[in-house]
Amino acid sequence: MAFSSSSTCSRAFYHESSSLNAARSGSFEIKGMRIQSNTNPSPLGLSSSIPKSLFVSPFMAPGRSLFHQMREWSFFSALDHGNGAGGDDGRRTSGGGGGEEGDADDSEEKEFGPIMKFDEVIRETEARGVSLPPDMLEAAKLTGIRRVLLFRYFELEAAWWPLGASIRSCSLLRYRMLADPSFLFKVATEVIIDSCCATFAEVQKRGKDFWAEFELYAADLLVGIVVDIALVGLLAPYVRIGRPSVAAVGFWGNLMRASEALPSSVFEAERPGCKFTIQQRIGTYFYKGVLYGSVGFVCGIIGQGIANLIMTAKRSVKKSDEDIPVPPLVKSAVLWGVFLAISSNTRYQIINGLERVVEASPVAKRVPPVAMAFTVGVRFANNIYGGMQFVDWARWSGVQ
């Protein structure tokens, strides 16, 4: 079934037994079907602006028991000429459609629940006295929202302060928590492990001068926390609902749309309506490398700049023969950028892939603490190895 213009169908239910003869011949009849053409195509380039579903009641052939079962047939990809250009939850699809679309829709509905229409969403929010953020409200009008995602939002926005307020006001956090409820746990794990490891190393390194040089330690610690949040957040999966947010045209508009179509990480799981090609996954590695490198350079400038100012100020008051040379600012920042772009990017991409495998395993689904324990273990080992590797890189480059 394919239409050249945008089409919608009303839900049709077969209730008459008079067409049993038609059923015996191996066919079925649809009652109450209405087709409407829409001369205004969707801005997404889709042939159907809002996915609909068609319900039919098939009958068994002679010699077998007669049953009356309501079955949902998704024909969104058929209206889109099989291109797979969109998903039921508004997530954009990179791969092609085909005969597997029906199975994909079934698996998505099993995982995320049915799509709730705008009036259903409003009914649920009013019953709880909750107001949706503008972006989610717009998505509910355009494509609807999956039931699991909507109810997950209800749970998150009702959380203790400041989490609930952050979920309501910050879309970056909201969409990552909707996609992965353990996102904040992973961020906290990274920050705590890195801070503890850094503190232990600083105490061992500075010895009796630790408190005298506490400002240097504090500056390194604060910059490290910012880097940790960026390392986890930039690779975290996030929910994409509604229409694409990029409306710019020209080279930069095309570049931004291409970056939005990339997966969050190289090993991000595919879901119905959100599939990625090998080229996109490879492109993600280099794209995230650029982002990691930028974060590393900026944080290196800030962190090393603060440390250099403190060291210079102290030495202007009291000099010592044991003072080490002040590290070069720009060279140190470049080292941080290159290290994050190459080493950290590679290691954290692998960590995300391993966490995905463990979280999808039957054992972790039955016993969620298994996945949490794995996250703690693998990130602890990564911090130890990364710290030793950075020291080697710093010595090799002459920064330390």
Side-chain angles (χ1 to χ4, degrees):
M1 180 189 301
F3 298 93
S4 59
S5 61
S6 179
S7 306
T8 60
C9 288
S10 65
R11 297 184 182 270
F13 295 89
Y14 183 90
H15 290 295
E16 298 183 13
S17 59
S18 58
S19 51
L20 187 56
N21 293 331
R24 287 174 179 160
S25 63
S27 62
F28 53 83
E29 186 175 348
I30 301 174
K31 298 290 186 181
M33 180 172 176
R34 173 169 55 87
I35 303 294
Q36 289 181 332
S37 62
N38 182 2
T39 56
N40 298 319
S42 167
L44 286 176
L46 308 179
S47 295
S48 69
S49 58
I50 301 179
K52 299 291 183 181
S53 297
L54 181 66
F55 289 88
V56 298
S57 296
F59 285 91
M60 298 292 290
R64 301 176 66 181
S65 60
L66 184 67
F67 71 94
H68 191 98
Q69 177 186 5
M70 187 171 69
R71 183 180 180 186
E72 182 175 3
W73 283 8
S74 173
F75 60 101
F76 183 63
S77 61
L79 292 175
D80 191 43
H81 304 284
N83 293 327
D88 284 347
D89 59 354
R91 298 187 68 163
R92 294 166 298 288
T93 306
S94 303
E100 298 180 356
E101 185 69 22
D103 294 338
D105 290 338
D106 291 341
S107 63
E108 185 176 22
E109 181 162 331
K110 181 182 295 185
E111 183 177 0
F112 297 104
I115 296 177
M116 300 184 67
K117 294 183 179 180
F118 179 69
D119 56 344
E120 296 174 318
V121 172
I122 294 300
R123 194 159 50 243
E124 291 290 345
T125 55
E126 289 179 348
R128 290 168 172 76
V130 175
S131 60
L132 290 179
D135 50 356
M136 291 188 68
L137 194 62
E138 183 67 17
K141 294 178 181 179
L142 294 175
T143 60
I145 300 178
R146 288 283 176 183
R147 181 180 180 86
V148 170
L149 298 179
L150 180 64
F151 279 78
R152 186 175 293 171
Y153 170 77
F154 291 153
E155 295 175 358
L156 292 172
E157 69 89 25
W160 40 264
W161 188 90
L163 177 58
S166 301
I167 291 295
R168 291 189 292 270
S169 59
C170 181
S171 60
L172 291 176
L173 175 62
R174 177 168 61 249
Y175 286 143
R176 280 162 176 78
M177 289 293 291
L178 288 177
D180 181 10
S182 62
F183 169 68
L184 281 184
F185 172 77
K186 294 174 181 178
V187 172
T189 299
E190 189 70 32
V191 169
I192 292 173
I193 290 177
D194 186 46
S195 299
C196 291
C197 291
T199 300
F200 179 78
E202 291 282 351
V203 171
Q204 292 292 109
K205 175 183 176 182
R206 302 184 190 279
K208 62 181 182 179
D209 297 327
F210 175 78
W211 292 109
E213 300 175 350
F214 183 79
E215 298 90 346
L216 295 174
Y217 158 74
D220 290 342
L221 186 65
L222 291 176
V223 174
I225 291 175
V226 174
V227 172
D228 291 336
I229 295 174
L231 289 174
V232 180
L234 287 176
L235 298 187
Y238 60 93
V239 171
R240 311 176 197 184
I241 60 177
R243 295 176 178 174
S245 58
V246 178
V249 295
F251 172 77
W252 290 109
N254 294 333
L255 186 63
M256 292 176 68
R257 277 188 289 272
S259 65
E260 277 201 349
L262 295 175
S264 299
S265 63
V266 173
F267 302 107
E268 182 181 357
E270 286 188 347
R271 292 185 178 90
C274 185
K275 300 184 184 300
F276 309 107
T277 63
I278 296 297
Q279 291 82 358
Q280 285 179 311
R281 294 186 182 278
I282 295 175
T284 293
Y285 176 80
F286 293 100
Y287 175 64
K288 298 297 182 177
V290 172
L291 295 181
Y292 269 25
S294 302
V295 170
F297 180 80
V298 172
C299 290
I301 288 287
I302 296 175
Q304 193 63 55
I306 294 174
N308 288 0
L309 286 175
I310 295 175
M311 293 173 67
T312 303
K314 282 190 172 183
R315 292 176 186 185
S316 64
V317 176
K318 181 181 179 180
K319 291 185 179 181
S320 172
D321 295 336
E322 298 179 355
D323 289 340
I324 60 174
V326 177
L329 177 60
V330 176
K331 192 174 183 180
S332 297
V334 170
L335 172 64
W336 271 103
V338 173
F339 182 78
L340 261 67
I342 298 176
S343 175
S344 298
N345 183 29
T346 303
R347 287 183 286 109
Y348 281 90
Q349 295 281 4
I350 294 174
I351 286 175
N352 273 39
L354 294 175
E355 287 179 336
R356 169 195 161 188
V357 172
V358 172
E359 290 169 357
S361 65
V363 176
K365 288 183 177 180
R366 288 195 301 267
V367 187
V370 170
M372 300 172 70
F374 178 81
T375 291
V376 173
V378 73
R379 291 184 181 273
F380 177 78
N382 173 65
N383 268 274
I384 297 297
Y385 176 76
M388 294 188 299
Q389 191 180 48
F390 181 79
V391 172
D392 294 337
W393 283 42
R395 290 175 178 172
W396 172 79
S397 63
V399 172
Q400 294 182 0

